[in-house]
Amino acid sequence: MNQISNCGRSLELLCEMRRLAIWIMAITCLVDLSSCGTTSFTPPPVTVELVRNGSDPHRDIAMLSEGRALFVHRCIECHTLPAFWRYSTEDWPKIVDSMAHRSNLRPAERDAIVAYILAVRGQ
Amino acid sequence: MSFGGVRHFTFLYEANTLAPGSLELENWITWQHATGTGRFDQVDFRHELEYGVTENFQTSVYLADWFYQNDREHSGFAYSDTALELIYNLTNPVVDPVGLSAYCELKGGDRLIELESKLIAQKNLGPLILAYNTTLESVWEGNDLSERESEFSQAIGASYEVSPRLSVGLELLHEFVFLEWRDEEKIRNLLVGPNVSYRRQNWFVTMTALAQATDTKDEPDFQLRTIFGIAL
């Protein structure tokens, strides 16, 4: 009788572990989807070329890096990040302005985000 | 007044934290319904004040949690507890492989102490948000706090942004309940259901309906949670 109940418990534990393994595999697959055509949604890192790409003489690596960090942290509090190409270079500053207060952005932070977006948009 | 953030899920937490200086009030209403011989209805209310301390750290106070219960033996309102919550964001769900945050909550009430910790994982893939929470909870309650219970749970959710104001998705909750910190009764609950989230200028409302896929007695067969958040 003990053997039978032990078998039952072992089978149950096996089922639970199998279920957990399926969860882990499912999560891993879903995370891996980020390499399947969705990398266009990942804001590009700041490089020297990105800084040079544009007409604004005031922006530098530090400003664009701060802009990127704020863009990926503050903006996702309320919504997912839209693709850069969705809006024109004329529209982006107005869009950021309309949401700056909502996301508690200081003027310098707002400028950094706009500078980063326009640098990427201009590539 | 700045808006802290939107919840896309109600039974899961997301990895991102509030901007520094943001203050938000969230009101939670959870209706739990059980059928059969142990039939009951319970409506839980929570009122949460969230505050962004730094870029990666937020704290919350759950003011009086209270509930209304209606079962075969009695019905009425009762105060449950008050809680303090801390969330620290470790990585970003957009630019890092996985966004991670650590969560801790301490709850105290009438003959009740509860300690809860979570690991929050999130990945944003364009308009799609995927979230995973794993939670360990320990409860001491009753006279002399001698009754003990713990729970290990994991939850997974997906939310898709249909428009800038509207998201829809799914949530799944898997619970392991250990009465007296033992696994003698093998209590396992699996709940699954859809969610919807709507947001405007400085407020949002998110709703999730979960149905129990297992058949655990004394556990609700159906839960409906609504969270309404507004910037202060």
Side-chain angles (χ1 to χ4, degrees):
Chain A
M1 185 67 86
N2 273 345
Q3 265 188 326
I4 291 169
S5 64
N6 282 343
C7 277
R9 274 200 289 272
S10 299
L11 198 62
E12 217 173 287
L13 188 63
L14 212 60
C15 285
E16 291 291 350
M17 286 175 64
R18 185 169 164 240
R19 224 173 286 170
L20 189 63
I22 290 169
W23 278 78
I24 291 168
M25 281 193 302
I27 291 160
T28 307
C29 287
L30 287 168
V31 170
D32 205 39
L33 278 174
S34 63
S35 64
C36 299
T38 57
T39 49
S40 59
F41 292 110
T42 304
V46 175
T47 59
V48 173
E49 287 72 30
L50 195 66
V51 176
R52 287 191 192 135
N53 181 44
S55 56
D56 186 348
H58 300 293
R59 68 182 182 205
D60 55 15
I61 284 187
M63 185 184 191
L64 296 193
S65 298
E66 187 193 9
R68 181 178 187 257
L70 289 165
F71 181 61
V72 301
H73 192 93
R74 297 282 183 93
C75 302
I76 66 167
E77 288 179 22
C78 298
H79 57 77
T80 58
L81 299 180
F84 291 100
W85 44 258
R86 185 183 286 183
Y87 304 104
S88 69
T89 52
E90 289 77 31
D91 287 337
W92 270 115
K94 297 173 202 168
I95 291 167
V96 176
D97 280 341
S98 70
M99 301 188 194
H101 181 67
R102 201 177 312 165
S103 46
N104 220 12
L105 290 172
R106 293 192 300 267
E109 292 173 333
R110 172 260 177 214
D111 291 343
I113 291 177
V114 170
Y116 172 73
I117 291 172
L118 293 181
V120 175
R121 185 69 179 78
Q123 274 191 321
Chain B
M1 171 185 72
S2 66
F3 189 27
V6 169
R7 281 188 195 260
H8 295 87
F9 310 97
T10 65
F11 286 91
L12 287 103
Y13 283 79
E14 292 161 67
N16 39 285
T17 49
L18 301 186
S22 296
L23 183 64
E24 182 181 298
L25 174 65
E26 290 185 358
N27 295 298
W28 303 37
I29 303 172
T30 307
W31 171 44
Q32 300 179 64
H33 176 68
T35 58
T37 52
R39 182 169 54 208
F40 73 87
D41 283 282
Q42 180 167 317
V43 184
D44 297 303
F45 301 90
R46 304 195 86 181
H47 310 284
E48 180 190 1
L49 270 175
E50 285 187 352
Y51 181 71
V53 182
T54 69
E55 204 68 53
N56 296 90
F57 179 56
Q58 76 174 47
T59 182
S60 299
V61 171
Y62 290 86
L63 307 167
D65 294 343
W66 52 290
F67 63 92
Y68 171 79
Q69 188 171 34
N70 181 20
D71 58 33
R72 288 181 190 279
E73 292 169 13
H74 62 276
S75 68
F77 291 91
Y79 162 78
S80 173
D81 54 78
T82 299
L84 173 68
E85 171 195 290
L86 306 171
I87 304 179
Y88 191 82
N89 175 236
L90 299 159
T91 55
N92 185 276
V94 176
V95 298
D96 294 314
V98 177
L100 292 173
S101 287
Y103 169 109
C104 179
E105 180 182 330
L106 177 63
K107 190 184 284 187
D110 181 24
R111 290 168 291 174
L112 169 75
I113 291 177
E114 187 175 313
L115 186 60
E116 183 177 318
S117 57
K118 285 186 208 290
L119 179 65
I120 302 166
Q122 179 182 337
K123 185 63 188 172
N124 287 26
L125 302 167
L128 179 66
I129 298 173
L130 301 170
Y132 173 78
N133 292 181
T134 182
T135 305
L136 187 59
E137 191 179 311
S138 294
V139 182
W140 294 262
E141 59 185 338
N143 294 326
D144 301 322
L145 301 175
S146 55
E147 297 165 33
R148 301 171 303 181
E149 181 179 311
S150 65
E151 184 175 300
F152 170 74
S153 65
Q154 45 185 352
I156 190 165
S159 176
Y160 187 83
E161 194 168 278
V162 175
S163 74
R165 292 211 171 101
L166 182 68
S167 297
V168 294
L170 284 171
E171 295 180 41
L172 188 151
L173 194 57
H174 188 203
E175 299 172 333
F176 300 72
V177 181
F178 306 104
L179 300 177
E180 289 300 324
W181 295 352
R182 293 197 193 102
D183 196 24
E184 286 171 358
E185 298 193 36
K186 296 277 185 278
I187 301 172
R188 308 283 186 262
N189 302 320
L190 187 69
L191 302 102
V192 62
N195 65 31
V196 60
S197 178
Y198 181 77
R199 51 206 165 265
R200 296 284 302 202
Q201 290 284 348
N202 66 333
W203 61 269
F204 74 89
V205 59
T206 304
M207 186 181 289
T208 307
L210 294 183
Q212 193 195 148
T214 39
D215 194 25
T216 313
K217 64 171 190 173
D218 302 330
E219 292 285 336
D221 297 300
F222 176 77
Q223 297 191 54
L224 181 69
R225 175 172 289 172
T226 305
I227 298 179
F228 176 75
I230 188 164
L232 297 179

